[in-house]
Amino acid sequence: MDNDEPLEPEIKDEPETEPAARNSDETFYCEAEASVAIEKEKPGGESSETDLEIEDTEKLFTTGQRELYLEACKLVGVVPVSYFIRNMEESYVNLNHHGLGPSGTKAIAIALVSNTSVVTLELADNCIMEEGTLSLVQMLQENYYLQDLNISNNDLGLKGASTISEFLQRNTSSLLNLQLSGNNFKDESAELFCQAFSANYRIKTLDLSHNEFSDKGGEHLGQMLALNIGLQSLDLSWNQFHTQGAVALCNGLRANVTLQKLDLSMNGFGNEGATALGEVLRLNNSLVHIDVSSNDISNEGVLKISKGLEFNESLKVLKLFLNPVSMDGATLLILSIKRNPKSKMEEIDISNVLVSEQFVKILDGVCAIHPQLDVTYKAVQGFSAKKELLLRTNPMKLIQSYADQHQITVIDFFKSLNPNGRMMMSVGDFWKAMIQQDKVPMNPYQVRELIKKLAEKTGMVNFRCSLP
């Protein structure tokens, strides 16, 4: 939040009243096409009329962005926000927690109709209500530059969900990412979003976390997932899905072919939901990142997830933090990766699980086959704090110390591991070389840390990444 003082002392939005009569010179309207003198193609049959437009086009052509916003503030009776005036030509504008209210939001929307600079707009926690939502939707029908919109924590409720749903079904805006967290959406809103996203293919990232969807909402959103062909990232964390909702969501995921990242943490899937998720993992080859932290999944549920991981060829990140999983369940997980030669798993988060030295030895064997794998666990049973610290000593510092002692560079050390002396080698070959070399003894954990630092998305380790 910007700490600068507003142009005038800040006041709360007053109840809306009919504006005083104005002559034609005082009346101010905004239309995107005229103010920026740019032709924009509109969907066929769509009217350009919105309640953000006005009639005095002569004044419109001579008014700049700043003046446009100031006139809009006069029109709706609010104090201008100095931060917005200073940043309205930037690509990122953060107006979170500014107390805009519906009227202040309308003034912002009026100014953005013709704005070609702002790409990301943050409006969380502004009490924009249904009226403010309507103003934003009308602006988005005219503005083809805004791509990211955050209107979380604005108590939009069912009416706000209805306005957003109707807008999204038109598939006409440039909006790609939409954050709707914490808006008191219940199952009736989930039904509206099902209608919207069953037809919308433009939105790529959707955040519906911290709402009040229950199992019935899970059924609606599961139907949406089965039909949607646009979403790549979906956040449904901190809702109230239990077994029925979890199974419905997973049924939708089985048919979905575009979603890559899914956050279901802080719900109540339980072992039955985990069983359904295991079946999804067996069949789905688009999901890359799944978070089911804190979902009351025990070893029984982990067994089902592990069965799915034995066949999965796409998942890279699995978060199971804060589930009642023991070391036995953790072992099931890593052995499922070992049994799957096509696994792409890179990260498993079981950071509340205390493991044994035997588990670490099994993990080392798995990493010999899948060197990209990194498993985060709580600690190793029986290890002293000093031994644990030694186990995790920064590997780059060890290599730098060796290089200094032998008057060589770190790059020289890495190149000595590569038979052809080149600056790159595969992750697998690098893993084997580091484990076998005896110049700088390292445990597998430290080698994994090196790989995370040096590896590229291509599966190659680049020694240049070791440069400061």
Side-chain angles (χ1 to χ4, degrees):
M1 174 177 173
D2 190 89
N3 292 323
D4 292 338
E5 293 296 323
L7 296 185
E8 302 176 27
E10 290 198 288
I11 58 172
K12 296 185 178 295
D13 287 339
E14 298 178 357
E16 286 195 81
T17 58
E18 289 296 321
R22 299 171 179 261
N23 59 37
S24 61
D25 289 332
E26 293 173 321
T27 306
F28 196 80
Y29 300 93
C30 49
E31 182 177 54
E33 292 83 356
S35 69
V36 295
I38 294 178
E39 290 291 330
K40 291 184 182 178
E41 181 181 349
K42 293 188 177 181
E46 181 178 325
S47 170
S48 64
E49 294 297 324
T50 75
D51 71 352
L52 301 183
E53 295 185 55
I54 52 179
E55 301 162 356
D56 193 351
T57 56
E58 181 179 351
K59 187 172 183 179
L60 179 63
F61 276 111
T62 61
T63 303
Q65 290 285 303
R66 182 177 183 276
E67 290 75 14
L68 177 64
Y69 174 58
L70 294 175
E71 287 289 343
C73 289
K74 290 181 182 178
L75 182 68
V76 299
V78 297
V79 176
V81 178
S82 59
Y83 169 87
F84 182 59
I85 294 173
R86 292 195 308 273
N87 292 276
M88 61 196 310
E89 294 183 0
E90 302 295 327
S91 61
Y92 175 80
V93 173
N94 187 339
L95 288 168
N96 293 340
H97 322 298
H98 269 69
L100 296 175
S103 298
T105 303
K106 183 172 184 177
I108 297 290
I110 290 174
L112 289 176
V113 166
S114 59
N115 185 287
T116 62
S117 301
V118 179
V119 176
T120 300
L121 177 63
E122 303 267 3
L123 290 174
D125 185 28
N126 274 291
C127 198
I128 70 176
M129 310 298 285
E130 179 191 4
E131 181 185 343
T133 307
L134 182 60
S135 297
L136 291 173
V137 163
Q138 291 171 340
M139 175 269 292
L140 288 168
Q141 292 172 8
E142 304 291 334
N143 180 308
Y144 296 121
Y145 297 89
L146 193 64
Q147 297 181 9
D148 307 319
L149 177 63
N150 180 6
I151 48 175
S152 299
N153 302 310
N154 275 295
D155 195 27
L156 302 184
L158 183 60
K159 291 183 178 180
S162 178
T163 299
I164 294 169
S165 174
E166 291 176 7
F167 162 68
L168 291 174
Q169 289 180 65
R170 300 190 189 104
N171 260 314
T172 56
S173 82
S174 59
L175 206 61
L176 299 177
N177 307 310
L178 180 59
Q179 296 181 56
L180 297 170
S181 176
N183 271 305
N184 196 31
F185 294 141
K186 296 181 173 63
D187 291 341
E188 295 85 351
S189 297
E191 184 174 8
L192 294 172
F193 290 131
C194 175
Q195 297 170 7
F197 288 99
S198 294
N200 184 286
Y201 55 85
R202 292 179 180 268
I203 300 293
K204 303 303 178 187
T205 302
L206 175 64
D207 182 356
L208 288 170
S209 64
H210 291 269
N211 282 295
E212 299 179 34
F213 301 131
S214 66
D215 286 344
K216 189 65 178 178
E219 292 178 8
H220 293 307
L221 295 174
Q223 294 171 21
M224 176 270 285
L225 285 171
L227 297 171
N228 181 271
I229 56 171
L231 280 177
Q232 297 175 1
S233 176
L234 176 63
D235 189 347
L236 293 173
S237 62
W238 292 92
N239 277 285
Q240 300 169 20
F241 303 122
H242 293 89
T243 299
Q244 184 179 344
V247 171
L249 285 168
C250 289
N251 286 339
L253 286 172
R254 291 171 64 176
N256 186 282
V257 295
T258 60
L259 197 66
Q260 298 176 20
K261 183 176 181 180
L262 177 63
D263 190 343
L264 294 165
S265 60
M266 306 298 169
N267 281 287
F269 269 42
N271 291 329
E272 291 186 53
T275 299
L277 181 59
E279 185 65 15
V280 170
L281 292 174
R282 189 176 71 85
L283 300 171
N284 183 290
N285 280 308
S286 63
L287 283 167
V288 174
H289 180 124
I290 295 180
D291 190 343
V292 283
S293 300
S294 190
N295 265 282
D296 198 27
I297 298 171
S298 67
N299 289 349
E300 179 186 343
V302 166
L303 173 62
K304 302 299 183 181
I305 291 175
S306 299
K307 292 292 184 183
L309 291 177
E310 292 182 11
F311 298 92
N312 187 275
E313 299 179 17
S314 65
L315 197 67
K316 293 183 179 180
V317 178
L318 175 62
K319 293 184 176 292
L320 280 161
F321 178 58
L322 287 179
N323 282 294
V325 178
S326 72
M327 186 177 61
D328 291 338
T331 303
L332 289 171
L333 284 171
I334 61 173
L335 287 178
S336 69
I337 305 302
K338 183 178 182 179
R339 296 189 188 102
N340 182 356
K342 296 184 178 180
S343 174
K344 290 185 173 62
M345 188 68 74
E346 296 177 359
E347 178 185 343
I348 297 178
D349 183 355
I350 47 172
S351 49
N352 62 301
V353 179
L354 187 65
V355 302
S356 67
E357 289 190 63
Q358 180 62 30
F359 173 87
V360 175
K361 291 179 181 178
I362 295 173
L363 178 58
D364 291 344
V366 176
C367 289
I369 303 171
H370 299 281
Q372 78 281 359
L373 178 63
D374 180 36
V375 179
T376 306
Y377 46 81
K378 184 176 182 180
V380 181
Q381 293 174 355
F383 272 33
S384 65
K386 185 176 181 180
K387 190 174 181 181
E388 188 76 26
L389 182 62
L390 182 63
L391 179 69
R392 297 172 182 263
T393 301
N394 188 323
M396 284 301 301
K397 288 184 177 180
L398 295 176
I399 294 171
Q400 185 66 63
S401 177
Y402 173 86
D404 291 343
Q405 290 174 14
H406 291 80
Q407 297 183 340
I408 62 174
T409 67
V410 171
I411 293 272
D412 289 334
F413 168 79
F414 284 130
K415 289 174 68 176
S416 70
L417 302 176
N418 199 345
N420 59 27
R422 294 178 180 172
M423 296 292 287
M424 298 182 71
M425 62 192 302
S426 71
V427 168
D429 289 343
F430 180 77
W431 169 273
K432 294 175 184 176
M434 284 301 303
I435 293 295
Q436 293 171 2
Q437 61 86 29
D438 57 5
K439 298 175 182 177
V440 185
M442 284 191 187
N443 59 61
Y445 176 88
Q446 291 166 318
V447 177
R448 290 196 293 274
E449 287 298 302
L450 269 181
I451 290 173
K452 284 198 292 184
K453 178 177 177 60
L454 303 177
E456 299 179 334
K457 292 183 178 181
T458 57
M460 299 294 288
V461 169
N462 187 342
F463 301 149
R464 293 184 180 86
C465 294
S466 65
L467 296 172

